[in-house]
Amino acid sequence: MSSASSTPSWDVHRLPRADGSVFLVTGGNAGIGYFVAEQLSATGATVVLGSRSPAKAEAAMRSIRARVSGARVRAVRMDLADLSSLRSAVESLGVARLDAVVHNAGVALDDPPRQETADGHEIMFGTNHLGHFALTRWLMPLLSAAPAARVVTMGSFAAKSERLDLDDLQSQKEYRPKRSYGRSKLAQMYFGVELDRRLRAADSTVASVVAHPGGALDSLTPSRPPVHVRTTGARLGAAPAALLLQGKDAGAWPAVRAVLDPAVRGGQLWGPRVFGLRGEPRNEPVWDHLADPFVAARLWDASCELT
């Protein structure tokens, strides 16, 4: 299935039921992850928010329950910057199987200096990529126990113009925050594509799908107090940007479709329909540099060593 024209109709406002399913959303307490969790909660599934902050997770759950009648939502403490904590975080899920995980949580720094995780990794690469890489290892038994589980990795449109430096994955030689962020998201996307290759080779029932939110701005995102509050000034000021960009509620649509749509296949890339920046989700061609198996395999080996 190679284009949106060959997929069945999809209504982002009328999602299929997923009663009995269990979904984990990392970083589900804020931003795009919050809206992924809110939308998935409306399907009848149990949605687990992976969050570093119990207080923020509680606020997110209150917001979801206020908007989704009968929402089955709970939280587990999960810190992707601390690799040694991930096994116990997975054990605390307390489920027999997991139908999907959305690898959404992330760190984005705007200014120097370069920072490191507790494990000594550059914080954006270490959290956004290595944290999810290691988390998947611990989740795989739960994913394999489901009939047809999905690993959905949330990339970024910012990664489209980036290229990995395989000899400086952690920006030790030259550190520029925005570039390091884009490369960390590109590494995540390479992981998602390579993971599916390896799952297919192992004849696994688990599929790996990559998604990106396009251009998703806080100023175009509807309020969900106290999780997110959009002022009138921000809404009016962002009006021109709405011609090309969207809010984080719409930025969640590709990942939600990647979780729920039975027509979605492993190895695909899902993003917004209009220039890859806004609109309903579509299956888009995998970016040329993202399809390079040599780079993906090198990154995989390096990630194994680092974790």
Side-chain angles (χ1 to χ4, degrees):
M1 196 163 299
S2 60
S3 69
S5 62
S6 63
T7 60
S9 60
W10 181 264
D11 187 340
V12 297
H13 301 295
R14 298 188 66 178
L15 300 175
R17 298 295 298 178
D19 300 271
S21 296
V22 181
F23 304 137
L24 169 64
V25 182
T26 70
N29 60 277
I32 292 170
Y34 167 83
F35 286 98
V36 170
E38 182 185 281
Q39 291 166 31
L40 290 176
S41 293
T43 68
T46 295
V47 179
V48 184
L49 312 184
S51 174
R52 286 180 300 174
S53 168
K56 290 181 179 179
E58 182 59 38
M61 290 189 291
R62 286 198 304 270
S63 178
I64 290 172
R65 289 172 182 145
R67 287 166 176 80
V68 180
S69 178
R72 297 179 177 89
V73 59
R74 58 189 183 86
V76 296
R77 191 178 186 283
M78 183 172 290
D79 185 356
L80 293 164
D82 181 1
L83 299 182
S84 65
S85 71
L86 296 179
R87 181 176 184 175
S88 59
V90 169
E91 290 172 349
S92 72
L93 288 172
V95 296
R97 76 165 202 265
L98 188 65
D99 295 277
V101 56
V102 180
H103 289 328
N104 162 83
V107 173
L109 301 184
D110 293 324
D111 301 300
R114 181 180 179 278
Q115 298 180 36
E116 293 186 347
T117 69
D119 300 294
H121 303 306
E122 189 278 315
I123 196 164
M124 289 184 281
F125 181 78
T127 303
N128 303 352
H129 170 59
L130 293 179
H132 285 115
F133 183 89
L135 176 64
T136 305
R137 177 255 185 272
W138 297 115
L139 288 176
M140 196 53 65
L142 296 179
L143 292 162
S144 299
R150 291 179 182 175
V151 177
V152 178
T153 298
M154 180 67 84
S156 170
F157 196 76
K160 193 168 188 178
S161 59
E162 293 294 345
R163 299 296 183 272
L164 290 184
D165 183 345
L166 292 169
D167 296 317
D168 190 26
L169 288 171
Q170 305 209 54
S171 305
Q172 292 173 315
K173 297 177 183 176
E174 183 183 1
Y175 177 70
R176 285 187 275 163
K178 289 185 178 179
R179 186 182 69 176
S180 294
Y181 171 76
R183 289 181 175 181
S184 75
K185 299 302 289 184
L186 178 58
Q188 274 192 274
M189 297 173 82
Y190 268 117
F191 163 63
V193 173
E194 180 65 12
L195 175 62
D196 197 71
R197 288 193 192 104
R198 294 175 183 245
L199 290 169
R200 299 288 70 74
D203 199 26
S204 173
T205 58
V206 182
S208 175
V209 185
V210 179
H212 73 85
L217 302 180
D218 279 332
S219 55
L220 293 173
T221 302
S223 288
R224 293 291 190 271
V227 177
H228 168 69
V229 177
R230 179 176 63 162
T231 65
T232 301
R235 179 173 57 82
L236 294 175
L243 295 173
L244 282 176
L245 306 176
Q246 61 190 358
K248 294 186 175 181
D249 55 326
W253 292 345
V256 169
R257 184 167 187 176
V259 169
L260 295 173
D261 189 350
V264 170
R265 297 291 178 263
Q268 290 181 337
L269 172 63
W270 286 80
R273 185 177 303 277
V274 182
F275 305 121
L277 291 172
R278 69 182 301 272
E280 297 203 358
R282 69 169 181 126
N283 174 23
E284 61 182 80
V286 174
W287 305 336
D288 287 345
H289 61 301
L290 192 57
D292 187 334
F294 172 77
V295 174
R298 285 275 308 275
L299 174 64
W300 185 283
D301 290 344
S303 301
C304 287
E305 293 178 10
L306 292 168
T307 57

